[in-house]
Amino acid sequence: MKYFKLILSFVLTVAIFYALNTKFGSIPPIGKFLNPYSGVWQNETDEAISGDITIPELQDKVTVHYDAQLIPHVFAQNELDLYRTQGYLTAKHRLWQMEFQTYAAAGRLSEIIGEGALNYDRQERRRGMGYGAEQALLKMNEDKRTSAITKAYADGVNSYINQLDPKNLPVEYKLLDYKPEAWTQKKTALLLMYMTKMLAGGDEDMENTNALRLFGKERFDLLFPDFFDITDPIIPKETDWSFIDVPQTPTPNSEPVLDSIAETIDKPDPNYGSNNWAVSGEKSATGHPILANDPHLGLNLPSIWFIMQLSTPNHNAFGATLPGALAVISGFNQYISWGETNATRDVIDWYKIDFNDDRTQYKFDDQWRDVSVRVEDIKIKGKETYKDSVLYTHHGPVVYDKNFKSDQERAGYAMKWVGHIGGNNQKTFLDLNKSKNYTDYVEALSNYTAPAQNFVFASTEGDIAIWIQGLLPNKWEGQGKFVMDGSKSENDWQSYIPQAYNAHTKNPERGFVSSANQSPVDEAYPYFVFNDGYETYRNRVINDFFNSKDKFSIQDFKDLHNNNYNLKAAELMPYMLENMDVSSLTPKEKEFFDIAKAWQYNNDMGEIGPSIWSAWWSILYTMVWDEFDVNDTAIDPPFTYQTIYLLKTKGDDAFMDIIETPETETAKDLFKLSFSKAVEKLNTWKAENGDLNWVNYKGTYAGHLLQALPAFSRFDIPIGGGKNIVNATSENWGPSWRMIVEMTSPPTAIGIYPGGQSGNPGSKYYDNFIDDWAAGKYHSLNFLQSSTATDAIISTQTLTPSK
């Protein structure tokens, strides 16, 4: 018996050891995770930011100063050392994040998460993310400077990875039980594709086609006009376009393909946007141009942005970078400042493809062309590799076919996307970091392809400007609204708008430039620009502000960044309150009615009015567009502005009628019905969650990139704002980087973002900016003019070459 007990004890010990060091499903190997020498406990330390570090392939010594915000100020003697160091430092502080995003872009999450990510990976492979990154990499390597710099960056990342002990791996690697792989130039291209997809712009061709088929052209044009009745474009209306001498592509005799599809691939969040603006010296209180930028993206932890100063003897740049990409993306140097907002241009079109019997060829201009096949080997953790054969035509990848979201045996739908063409976007930012004036800025933009962006500019010479930049197809009138017949060459993109004719303005008479994702131009612009959901509220608040007085200060810029005025509510709620039947309101409804009537349309934290508006509007919007709730059909309802326009001007339209009721409702009926439902919803929420102050009802949070890790997230962030508001802070997206730069010599700047410099949840620098960001505060950006440390510097690290 004693031997049996001994053997049983041994077996149980082995079993426990195996269980503690083996990953079961989504559960990490607990033994490894809790190991006191190499597990999670080793991550609860602050970053080392002093001492000497040896890095292979450095040509000279590099000095890195850290300030109290953990911002590295890098001083190198040459560009290759600079960007090698940028790669090293970004990996040091954000390794897991930068690699995870490239896994997501490449459709490789199944390798580290398991079978649950397979559908996502298939979707991204079929979207052509890897293919697009490969085309971009070819373009980057055509330019010797870009190629050398991106390789140096990769070498820097790998230098850090190679120095890592298992105990120092970021905690997410320990949770998911995998190790970082070597960084490559392709990973940088994938990171840029990740952002290109996030800001891809209009892609409602399938949905629009179904709306056209169901409702007809006259009704479609009413619901989805090319321009709204109020247009306050990025480029001033009085702009003279007579210099453009390349005509718009003529319209062929073409009809859309009125096919239906039940489900489309995931789309970027339509709320991702941004604000930027600049005022001239004449409108500045100090006589210097001032520029501001605040990109609206997901509120993630680790944060989307990482702040750095990057300096050589030939240039000195400071600002926000994207972990995995090179150079400063939104920032400034000694001479210029720049920032971006999403231009939301329609650069994705869909084509129906007719195949032969075995799908080896497709029809094009009455001939058969060969299909190319890209076999996607999707590795799955703990499972066999999944193979997905994606067919490619000259349009692009066939995303939907009999093997994915469609059941048509001999037909498919191919995506044409500028993101697949390939471009050296990285060169644009490398060159902006070194630009000295307006001419350099325009030259830097000439290399930029996608996603289309509104690049704002200001210089110490006194110039301000904005360009809507990207590789934009010169479309015939209406091209890209609907699915097109892929067998006809007349439906192909015939050419691109010459870069010089992309909409832009320099030193406009009004003394300011601005963009907030609104329409870039009015009807006078000679190329086709379809309204694919352009913003119509933030932009008018911003432009009205800059038209309101003659001079503007840094404080004015701060106030505008944090402006909570809800123009959308102000344009509809008074009309609803005045035209709603209030004779049958219950006491509780009357209470909410009185609160709504007293509200001054500011989405401030302590207000209840924004909560009432949010609940009321969402229910009303769904009620109006019940005709768009169609089973097994991909279809989207009209945009916010047009919905409000129809509610106020066509209240008796048939779309106002609720399909499921025997009565014929009008807009006024919907106001009362939706208000009652909103009050019911609000009362239920209050009973479950507490008071209805906007800050509580909205519930802004910054979530960890692995959504299953609430302990690494921040909840209940105390901030106002909301959708369509200049302070565009909603539940989990908002101003991801607020920057204000005054073009003194050298420039002076302030900035803040909702997170922290470290990607380590155990670091005090992980989320230390969030409270100041929420309160509308800024931090001074310590723009050092030499490698000599100042009082702002708390520590210095020296990087030296290997012997």
Side-chain angles (χ1 to χ4, degrees):
M1 178 64 71
K2 66 178 182 179
Y3 294 109
F4 174 77
K5 291 180 178 179
L6 181 63
I7 293 171
L8 179 62
S9 175
F10 176 75
V11 170
L12 288 175
T13 301
V14 171
I16 292 170
F17 180 83
Y18 174 79
L20 287 174
N21 290 277
T22 304
K23 187 176 189 299
F24 297 100
S26 60
I27 302 172
I30 303 299
K32 293 180 182 178
F33 186 63
L34 299 180
N35 185 309
Y37 301 105
S38 62
V40 66
W41 316 113
Q42 293 298 321
N43 295 91
E44 294 188 356
T45 58
D46 290 337
E47 287 76 5
I49 55 176
S50 62
D52 294 341
I53 297 175
T54 300
I55 296 183
E57 300 180 359
L58 277 180
Q59 299 174 18
D60 210 330
K61 182 180 74 173
V62 177
T63 300
V64 181
H65 297 305
Y66 281 94
D67 62 26
Q69 301 165 29
L70 199 70
I71 293 175
H73 304 256
V74 182
F75 291 88
Q77 299 305 307
N78 59 78
E79 274 196 322
L80 292 182
D81 280 356
L82 178 71
Y83 292 112
R84 186 175 285 109
T85 302
Q86 184 184 13
Y88 181 92
L89 294 177
T90 306
K92 174 181 175 179
H93 299 293
R94 299 290 189 88
L95 176 61
W96 178 82
Q97 173 195 11
M98 61 193 289
E99 188 178 47
F100 181 78
Q101 290 177 158
T102 65
Y103 270 78
R108 295 180 57 197
L109 291 183
S110 298
E111 291 183 35
I112 56 176
I113 293 177
E115 196 171 17
L118 177 59
N119 286 337
Y120 171 87
D121 286 346
R122 291 191 67 197
Q123 169 185 274
E124 297 311 293
R125 305 288 183 108
R126 286 177 166 266
R127 199 193 299 268
M129 294 291 286
Y131 172 79
E134 290 163 9
Q135 305 313 302
L137 184 58
L138 290 173
K139 287 289 185 183
M140 285 194 284
N141 283 334
E142 287 177 3
D143 180 76
K144 291 182 179 179
R145 173 173 169 255
T146 305
S147 180
I149 289 174
T150 53
K151 184 180 184 304
Y153 182 92
D155 290 342
V157 175
N158 292 329
S159 293
Y160 178 73
I161 293 173
N162 294 336
Q163 294 175 8
L164 270 178
D165 290 327
K167 68 178 183 180
N168 294 325
L169 283 176
V171 64
E172 293 88 351
Y173 288 107
K174 297 174 182 178
L175 276 168
L176 297 173
D177 192 26
Y178 75 110
K179 296 179 180 179
E181 62 185 17
W183 192 264
T184 63
Q185 292 170 289
K186 184 179 178 180
K187 284 184 176 285
T188 289
L190 281 166
L191 186 279
L192 295 172
M193 277 296 294
Y194 184 77
M195 298 304 298
T196 300
K197 182 194 79 168
M198 187 183 296
L199 304 172
D203 175 16
E204 289 83 34
D205 307 29
M206 296 285 185
E207 293 81 358
N208 290 342
T209 299
N210 288 325
L212 177 68
R213 178 174 52 82
L214 292 172
F215 306 120
K217 187 176 188 307
E218 182 179 350
R219 298 293 272 167
F220 180 90
D221 289 343
L222 171 67
L223 301 179
F224 301 94
D226 284 1
F227 289 91
F228 296 133
D229 69 322
I230 290 180
T231 302
D232 193 356
I234 295 170
I235 309 303
K237 291 183 178 181
E238 63 271 15
T239 299
D240 180 9
W241 302 110
S242 62
F243 66 93
I244 292 178
D245 56 8
V246 175
Q248 179 181 338
T249 299
T251 303
N253 184 20
S254 182
E255 295 292 333
V257 177
L258 297 181
D259 279 1
S260 175
I261 192 168
E263 180 188 10
T264 58
I265 57 177
D266 293 344
K267 309 287 183 68
D269 190 325
N271 296 298
Y272 286 165
S274 304
N275 305 317
N276 62 22
W277 57 76
V279 298
S280 66
E282 288 72 21
K283 286 186 80 74
S284 164
T286 63
H288 303 290
I290 310 174
L291 177 145
N293 191 200
D294 61 299
H296 304 158
L297 297 168
L299 302 182
N300 296 330
L301 289 173
S303 296
I304 288 175
W305 300 103
F306 183 65
I307 312 304
M308 301 185 80
Q309 181 174 357
L310 299 171
S311 179
T312 72
N314 296 320
H315 83 281
N316 190 4
F318 196 130
T321 74
L322 293 167
L326 288 71
V328 169
I329 305 298
S330 170
F332 56 96
N333 62 26
Q334 305 104 306
Y335 309 102
I336 74 166
S337 56
W338 66 93
E340 305 83 25
T341 68
N342 196 17
T344 67
R345 292 293 286 272
D346 182 8
V347 293
I348 298 176
D349 285 346
W350 291 90
Y351 294 87
K352 182 178 181 181
I353 305 300
D354 291 323
F355 296 112
N356 64 353
D357 289 342
D358 61 2
R359 302 199 312 153
T360 58
Q361 295 182 314
Y362 66 102
K363 186 175 291 185
F364 187 70
D365 278 349
D366 296 324
Q367 295 181 339
W368 292 98
R369 283 194 175 188
D370 290 339
V371 169
S372 61
V373 182
R374 183 182 173 100
V375 179
E376 299 285 0
D377 293 320
I378 305 176
K379 297 178 182 178
I380 306 173
K381 191 164 192 173
K383 300 281 185 179
E384 291 185 3
T385 296
Y386 182 96
K387 290 184 179 291
D388 197 5
S389 297
V390 183
L391 308 182
Y392 276 71
T393 70
H394 75 284
H395 301 293
V398 178
V399 179
Y400 307 107
D401 61 13
K402 69 176 186 178
N403 296 319
F404 191 79
K405 297 185 182 293
S406 178
D407 56 6
Q408 298 189 52
E409 284 290 330
R410 292 180 55 191
Y413 298 93
M415 170 194 275
K416 179 70 173 180
W417 181 20
V418 167
H420 292 149
I421 292 174
N424 192 355
N425 294 339
Q426 186 62 81
K427 180 174 170 56
T428 290
F429 296 105
L430 291 169
D431 288 351
L432 280 174
N433 280 227
K434 299 179 69 173
S435 294
K436 296 183 177 180
N437 50 43
Y438 176 79
T439 301
D440 290 347
Y441 151 80
V442 174
E443 177 62 26
L445 298 188
S446 67
N447 295 291
Y448 188 82
T449 57
Q453 296 287 288
N454 307 308
F455 284 87
V456 72
F457 165 89
S459 74
T460 55
E461 293 182 351
D463 293 321
I464 61 171
I466 196 165
W467 276 75
I468 291 87
Q469 182 57 34
L471 185 63
L472 305 175
N474 180 359
K475 296 187 175 186
W476 39 263
E477 200 70 20
Q479 186 177 16
K481 283 187 183 181
F482 312 110
V483 177
M484 292 178 283
D485 184 348
S487 70
K488 297 180 178 180
S489 58
E490 65 187 18
N491 290 329
D492 285 3
W493 294 352
Q494 305 299 314
S495 64
Y496 296 92
I497 298 172
Q499 196 265 340
Y501 298 159
N502 281 346
H504 62 277
T505 185
K506 177 187 179 187
N507 298 329
E509 185 177 345
R510 65 186 185 182
F512 71 90
V513 293
S514 75
S515 72
N517 316 117
Q518 75 266 40
S519 177
V521 292
D522 64 5
E523 295 91 332
Y525 185 62
Y527 297 111
F528 175 62
V529 178
F530 174 53
N531 170 22
D532 58 348
Y534 287 120
E535 163 64 30
T536 49
Y537 299 101
R538 282 184 284 117
N539 66 294
R540 286 189 284 147
V541 172
I542 292 168
N543 287 359
D544 287 348
F545 179 74
F546 284 119
N547 284 318
S548 67
K549 59 181 184 177
D550 295 329
K551 300 286 185 179
F552 296 89
S553 65
I554 296 294
Q555 186 60 50
D556 288 324
F557 274 46
K558 292 180 182 179
D559 292 343
L560 186 54
H561 265 167
N562 294 277
N563 184 298
N564 286 334
Y565 184 63
N566 192 333
L567 178 60
K568 181 169 75 173
E571 291 189 342
L572 181 61
M573 187 181 273
Y575 182 85
M576 293 197 293
L577 294 171
E578 292 169 8
N579 288 276
M580 186 173 74
D581 180 7
V582 298
S583 61
S584 60
L585 292 180
T586 66
K588 181 57 69 175
E589 290 173 348
K590 182 66 166 60
E591 177 185 340
F592 278 99
F593 182 88
D594 290 341
I595 295 172
K597 199 164 186 177
W599 181 40
Q600 297 300 303
Y601 307 110
N602 287 307
N603 276 36
D604 296 332
M605 288 191 292
E607 295 278 358
I608 297 176
S611 305
I612 298 172
W613 161 256
S614 177
W616 192 2
W617 167 250
S618 64
I619 293 170
L620 173 63
Y621 183 81
T622 302
M623 199 175 281
V624 172
W625 302 123
D626 57 338
E627 292 86 355
F628 284 74
D629 185 13
V630 183
N631 290 331
D632 298 325
T633 302
I635 188 169
D636 287 339
F639 307 125
T640 293
Y641 183 85
Q642 195 67 2
T643 301
I644 292 176
Y645 170 80
L646 295 173
L647 284 167
K648 294 172 70 174
T649 62
K650 296 184 180 294
D652 296 329
D653 190 273
F655 275 117
M656 304 299 159
D657 182 40
I658 300 175
I659 296 174
E660 294 182 351
T661 66
E663 298 84 9
T664 300
E665 287 86 4
T666 66
K668 293 180 180 180
D669 298 319
L670 298 186
F671 296 159
K672 173 59 173 67
L673 290 168
S674 58
F675 183 76
S676 296
K677 287 182 177 294
V679 170
E680 181 180 341
K681 176 182 178 180
L682 291 165
N683 279 325
T684 300
W685 192 95
K686 182 178 181 180
E688 296 175 351
N689 301 282
D691 68 66
L692 285 166
N693 290 345
W694 178 233
V695 66
N696 299 324
Y697 189 74
K698 175 161 65 79
T700 295
Y701 67 94
H704 188 272
L705 282 172
L706 286 178
Q707 297 176 11
L709 294 177
F712 297 164
S713 304
R714 276 287 299 271
F715 297 95
D716 301 317
I717 298 174
I719 190 169
K723 297 177 181 178
N724 304 108
I725 292 172
V726 179
N727 181 17
T729 307
S730 191
E731 293 81 4
N732 65 335
W733 52 264
S736 61
W737 159 240
R738 292 190 182 122
M739 174 185 74
I740 301 173
V741 187
E742 183 179 1
M743 300 312 296
T744 51
S745 294
T748 50
I750 54 177
I752 191 79
Y753 68 87
Q757 287 287 90
S758 176
N760 177 6
S763 169
K764 67 180 181 181
Y765 298 107
Y766 179 65
D767 59 359
N768 57 309
F769 294 162
I770 288 181
D771 291 334
D772 283 348
W773 171 82
K777 297 179 181 178
Y778 297 75
H779 295 165
S780 294
L781 300 179
N782 302 302
F783 188 31
L784 305 184
Q785 296 306 294
S786 74
S787 61
T788 303
T790 67
D791 292 342
I793 300 306
I794 64 170
S795 189
T796 297
Q797 207 163 46
T798 303
L799 280 57
T800 58
S802 299
K803 293 183 180 179

